[in-house]
């Protein structure tokens, strides 16, 4: 074990960790925004509304994330109109390709979590909202979504942790995230154990932060469950 | 006449598949009427009550609320559903409903539960709604608990809050669906007390209940349902004291 290597390259690993964190946060935000309409449509029992999200979720949950990344990174460039579009400067960047793949992927999982939670809002609470004269949009906005958000917190926190770990796949399309940086360093120093241990440690710390953050959110959104009786 | 009654139901039928739960029930309530609906379990009384504001979709029938006919159209399942969601919502806002299981929203405080309807549905200002809610809560003796969450209070208190939530909408009619059946025996009295006060104020109420003594004291009419049909209808003294139907006589003597 050569601890000097760790100390020497730790700042660079931290830079990689920042990229990892950025990937997770940005695609987490985009993904959750996409998940809201997807989950709502998936919750519907009208076939024309739920069919598309159903197929979407089926595809993204049923195929490996690595394949999805490759499809976006190598696949999109195959199309002439993509290369000629105004978005090409972004779409040829591995960074944005990773963001796109991660966002679409996490949106599918999050939508499914949201759908489950919406289905678990007790019927009586929905009826109570209807009996005071609420119509559908208000019912979702005021009662069902706030209730569902409280219920999804543990599962969604879990999804973000999984996303943090799968973000290592971004290194396969030349992105210098934490794993990518570690591999670059190792290629020069031939110290895989030291550097991967250090990278693993940083992943652990990131997980810890995410876990704490969601524990806090969960406590906040489930205040009502605390009994003082 | 449906026009001058608070509520008028004509020929309400309800089937679940092949099972006929309601077989043509008529009911009319005028202002200040307190009508108790009694009958053994499975007689269709809760289903009937739930048909009134379309929590359950009737298979057949007409519903008039405060002189206005609810527009119905047949849905895919063959039941009648509201054809005008806006009208249904507006009519529901005028009809209070108190559930057996209270159905307070657990993520909202008691005060938030009560002002939800007035602020969101009726468009009242928050200050006005809070002032009214506090006044109503004081009446049921729960004013200091207003910032509690439903899980922090007892079942009887939750039901009193649920009644308050309904009252905050200033309903013209309140439907009670076995409001004390989910309560521990020692908590039943406090809820019945609140309901007795409401009846005393002259509120129009329909009450599905198993509390026979209460039904006899509070209501001015009693409806006895048996297998989805009205077996007996009349003044409580008559229904409880001298029922004409044999089944009603049996039921009364078995529970009362």
């Amino acid at each position: 074990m050569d601890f000097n290597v760790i100390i020497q390259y730790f700042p660079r690993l931290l830079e990689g960790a920042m990229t990892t964190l950025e990937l997770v946060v940005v695609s987490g935000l985009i993904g959750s925004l996409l998940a809201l309409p997807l989950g709502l449509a998936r919750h519907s029992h009208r076939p024309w509304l739920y069919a598309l999200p159903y197929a979407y979720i089926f595809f993204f949950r049923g195929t490996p994330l690595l394949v999805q990344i490759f499809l976006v990174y190598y696949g999109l460039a195959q199309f002439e109109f993509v290369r000629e579009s105004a978005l090409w400067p972004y779409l040829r960047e591995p960074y944005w390709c990773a963001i796109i793949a991660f966002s679409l992927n996490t949106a599918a999982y999050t939508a499914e979590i949201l759908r489950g939670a919406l289905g678990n809002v007790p019927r009586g609470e929905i009826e109570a909202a209807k009996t005071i004269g609420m119509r559908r949009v208000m019912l979702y906005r005021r009662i069902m979504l706030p209730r569902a958000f409280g219920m999804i917190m543990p599962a969604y926190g879990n999804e973000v942790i999984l996303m943090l770990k799968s973000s290592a796949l971004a290194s396969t399309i030349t992105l210098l995230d934490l794993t990518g940086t570690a591999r670059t360093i190792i290629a020069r120093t031939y110290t895989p154990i030291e550097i991967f241990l250090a990278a693993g440690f940083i992943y652990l710390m990131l997980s810890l932060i995410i876990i704490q953050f969601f524990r806090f959110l969960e406590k906040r959104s489930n205040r009502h469950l605390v009994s003082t009786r | 006449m449906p026009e001058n009654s608070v509520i008028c139901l004509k020929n309400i039928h309800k089937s679940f598949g092949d099972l006929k739960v309601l077989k043509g029930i008529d009911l009319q309530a005028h202002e200040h009427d307190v009508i108790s609906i009694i009958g053994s379990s499975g007689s269709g009384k809760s289903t009937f009550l739930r048909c009134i504001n379309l929590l359950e979709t009737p298979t057949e029938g007409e519903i008039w609320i405060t002189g206005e006919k609810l527009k119905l159209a047949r849905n895919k399942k063959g039941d009648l559903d509201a054809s005008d969601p806006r009208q249904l919502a507006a009519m529901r806002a005028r009809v209070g409903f108190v559930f057996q299981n209270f159905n307070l929203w657990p993520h909202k405080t008691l005060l938030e539960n009560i002002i939800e309807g007035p602020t969101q549905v009726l468009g009242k200002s928050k200050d006005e709604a809070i002032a009214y809610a506090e006044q109503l809560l004081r009446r049921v003796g729960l004013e200091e608990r207003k910032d509690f969450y439903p899980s922090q209070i007892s079942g009887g208190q939750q039901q009193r809050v649920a009644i308050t939530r309904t009252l905050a909408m200033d309903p013209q009619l309140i439907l009670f669906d076995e409001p004390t059946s989910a309560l521990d025996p020692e908590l039943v009295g406090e809820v019945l007390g609140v309901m007795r006060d409401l009846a005393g104020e002259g509120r129009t109420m329909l009450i599905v209940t198993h509390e026979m003594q209460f039904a006899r004291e509070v209501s001015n009419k009693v409806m006895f349902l048996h297998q989805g049909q009205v077996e007996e209808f009349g003044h409580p003294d008559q229904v409880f004291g001298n029922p004409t139907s044999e089944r009603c006589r049996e039921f009364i003597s078995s529970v009362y």
Side-chain angles (χ1 to χ4, degrees):
Chain A
M1 282 286 266
D2 180 0
F3 284 103
N4 286 328
V5 181
I6 297 180
I7 294 164
Q8 187 189 342
Y9 286 101
F10 204 71
R12 277 194 55 197
L13 285 174
L14 282 182
E15 270 171 48
M18 280 316 288
T19 307
T20 291
L21 202 60
E22 217 176 292
L23 281 175
V24 172
V25 170
V26 174
S27 36
L29 286 175
I30 299 175
S32 51
L33 287 180
L34 285 174
L36 183 62
L38 278 171
L40 282 170
R42 181 66 188 85
H43 175 66
S44 165
H45 41 250
R46 293 189 176 85
W48 57 271
L49 250 178
Y50 74 68
L52 202 69
Y54 181 87
Y56 175 91
I57 292 167
F58 181 63
F59 174 79
F60 278 96
R61 291 207 310 171
T63 55
L65 178 58
L66 187 59
V67 171
Q68 293 160 18
I69 294 173
F70 284 170
L71 275 176
V72 174
Y73 185 61
Y74 298 114
L76 284 182
Q78 303 279 313
F79 299 101
E80 181 99 29
F81 70 90
V82 174
R83 271 173 300 170
E84 279 164 10
S85 78
L87 289 173
W88 180 239
Y90 296 103
L91 292 178
R92 70 176 176 207
E93 291 291 332
Y95 179 79
W96 287 106
C97 287
I99 293 270
I100 291 171
F102 290 158
S103 301
L104 294 178
N105 182 275
T106 187
Y109 282 95
T110 310
E112 193 61 16
I113 294 171
L114 179 61
R115 176 188 82 106
L118 286 170
N120 279 332
V121 176
R123 206 178 64 152
E125 291 172 32
I126 298 170
E127 288 185 345
K130 287 180 177 171
T131 57
I132 62 165
M134 280 198 187
R135 293 176 59 194
R136 193 179 299 270
V137 175
M138 193 187 284
L139 168 69
Y140 275 85
R141 189 169 53 84
R142 297 292 308 177
I143 305 295
M144 294 194 61
L145 282 172
R147 269 298 259 141
F149 287 144
M151 289 194 266
I152 67 176
M153 273 317 157
Y156 184 62
N158 204 28
E159 162 61 17
V160 175
I161 299 275
L162 288 175
M163 199 165 55
L164 169 73
K165 291 182 294 180
S166 12
S167 72
L169 291 174
S171 64
T172 59
I173 54 169
T174 75
L175 210 67
L176 287 179
D177 71 326
L178 180 48
T179 304
T181 307
R183 283 169 57 183
T184 315
I185 296 168
I186 291 160
R188 189 177 310 156
T189 61
Y190 305 107
T191 50
I193 300 213
E194 288 85 348
I195 297 297
F196 275 139
L197 266 180
F201 173 76
I202 297 175
Y203 273 117
L204 261 180
M205 290 303 112
L206 291 178
S207 300
L208 198 69
I209 294 170
I210 294 172
I211 291 170
Q212 288 304 325
F213 175 68
F214 279 97
R215 199 161 281 169
F216 165 76
L217 276 190
E218 195 184 330
K219 253 193 194 144
R220 243 188 80 91
S221 56
N222 288 332
R223 281 178 298 225
H224 60 274
L225 296 180
V226 185
S227 178
T228 57
R229 232 191 319 162
Chain B
M1 283 296 107
E3 284 77 13
N4 52 29
S5 53
V6 177
I7 190 166
C8 180
L9 300 146
K10 287 184 183 170
N11 194 31
I12 301 293
H13 285 257
K14 172 66 183 176
S15 304
F16 293 102
D18 290 336
L19 182 70
K20 287 184 179 150
V21 180
L22 302 177
K23 302 166 188 164
I25 297 182
D26 298 286
L27 179 67
Q28 201 168 354
H30 294 94
E31 227 172 303
H32 314 309
D33 268 349
V34 177
I35 303 178
S36 289
I37 303 169
I38 60 170
S40 49
S41 45
S43 60
K45 32 188 210 313
S46 278
T47 307
F48 174 63
L49 200 75
R50 289 166 59 83
C51 277
I52 296 175
N53 64 359
L54 249 52
L55 285 181
E56 213 72 75
T57 47
T59 317
E60 207 68 61
E62 266 181 37
I63 299 167
W64 297 69
I65 292 171
T66 57
E68 188 184 338
K69 187 178 178 188
L70 185 60
K71 291 178 205 141
L72 296 170
R74 208 159 286 284
N75 65 13
K76 271 184 219 148
K77 286 185 211 150
D79 286 340
L80 295 174
D81 210 338
S83 58
D84 180 356
R86 191 180 301 263
Q87 186 204 25
L88 174 67
M91 286 172 97
R92 277 175 172 166
R94 278 182 267 147
V95 177
F97 199 101
V98 176
F99 297 87
Q100 183 176 346
N101 296 311
F102 336 128
N103 291 339
L104 294 174
W105 300 300
H107 61 299
K108 293 180 185 292
T109 64
L110 305 186
L111 188 68
E112 286 166 348
N113 263 279
I114 297 167
I115 65 169
E116 183 69 17
T119 55
Q120 298 297 321
V121 177
L122 301 181
K124 277 194 188 177
S125 77
K126 205 172 169 187
D127 290 342
E128 191 188 349
I130 289 177
Y132 191 35
E134 284 174 348
Q135 178 195 333
L136 290 170
L137 272 177
R138 200 173 309 136
R139 261 189 37 180
V140 295
L142 287 169
E143 204 201 2
E144 328 84 86
R145 298 280 167 104
K146 67 182 179 190
D147 294 324
F148 280 45
Y149 286 97
S151 63
Q152 297 168 328
I153 59 175
S154 74
Q157 290 171 329
Q158 287 189 52
Q159 191 61 296
R160 275 143 67 194
V161 173
I163 294 173
T164 305
R165 175 172 69 178
T166 294
L167 292 178
M169 297 291 290
D170 278 329
Q172 282 160 292
L173 165 75
I174 309 176
L175 311 175
F176 293 86
D177 186 8
E178 303 195 25
T180 57
S181 296
L183 296 177
D184 292 337
E186 76 269 21
L187 302 178
V188 168
E190 58 187 80
V191 171
L192 293 184
V194 171
M195 292 171 64
R196 197 171 275 128
D197 290 346
L198 295 177
E201 279 171 25
R203 300 223 180 226
T204 314
M205 300 157 62
L206 293 190
I207 309 167
V208 168
T209 185
H210 290 289
E211 299 288 333
M212 297 304 153
Q213 186 59 42
F214 172 77
R216 184 168 192 169
E217 284 166 25
V218 162
S219 33
N220 63 338
K221 286 171 195 157
V222 176
M223 179 160 103
F224 171 71
L225 285 187
H226 181 75
Q227 293 184 352
Q229 281 173 317
V230 181
E231 275 276 321
E232 184 97 32
F233 185 88
H235 192 271
D237 288 342
Q238 183 249 311
V239 174
F240 286 105
N242 189 20
T244 51
S245 136
E246 187 55 40
R247 290 209 183 82
C248 186
R249 197 190 308 271
E250 277 169 23
F251 175 76
I252 301 281
S253 62
S254 72
V255 296
Y256 182 64

